[in-house]
Amino acid sequence: MTEANFGWLIRSVHRWSASIMVLMMTLHVFRVYLTGGFKKPRELTWVTGVVLAVLTASMSCGNDSSGITTFTTMMLSIDQIILWIGFT
């Protein structure tokens, strides 16, 4: 029940994909800002993109303001520890 075929591969792909997504999102936000993609008539699109960028970044940050590790980062960074906690 605790064994999954190619589970190590799925966890690794998920971890790398999450990191690449945050990097690409950051590069995209800077590109749109530098090229002026936020000017009329695209203000609403820019605000929507910034909101989505903040949501993406909040899911990938390590600690929130109270010092508690966010759920998604905990799953990505210490998933192996969580797996072994289940065996004790």
Side-chain angles (χ1 to χ4, degrees), residues 16-46:
W16 278 101
S17 298
S19 297
I20 291 170
M21 178 183 168
V22 171
L23 174 67
M24 297 306 289
M25 183 254 337
T26 303
L27 291 173
H28 176 70
V29 168
F30 282 130
R31 186 208 45 98
V32 171
Y33 180 74
L34 292 175
T35 59
F38 56 90
K39 296 178 184 173
K40 277 192 174 185
R42 295 182 177 93
E43 300 96 343
L44 182 60
T45 305
W46 170 254

Side-chain angles (χ1 to χ4, degrees), residues 1-4 7-8 11 15 74-75 77-88:
M1 193 92 176
T2 60
E3 190 83 19
W8 60 271
R11 284 191 302 271
R15 180 181 294 134
M74 181 175 64
M75 294 280 89
S77 61
I78 59 172
D79 54 357
Q80 196 64 33
I81 294 172
I82 292 171
L83 176 69
W84 285 105
I85 288 174
F87 289 123
T88 60

Side-chain angles (χ1 to χ4, degrees), residues 60-79:
S60 66
C61 66
N63 295 316
D64 61 9
S65 60
S66 64
I68 300 170
T69 303
T70 58
F71 178 72
T72 55
T73 303
M74 181 175 64
M75 294 280 89
L76 289 173
S77 61
I78 59 172
D79 54 357

Side-chain angles (χ1 to χ4, degrees), residues 45-57:
T45 305
W46 170 254
V47 171
T48 304
V50 170
V51 169
L52 290 173
V54 168
L55 286 173
T56 301

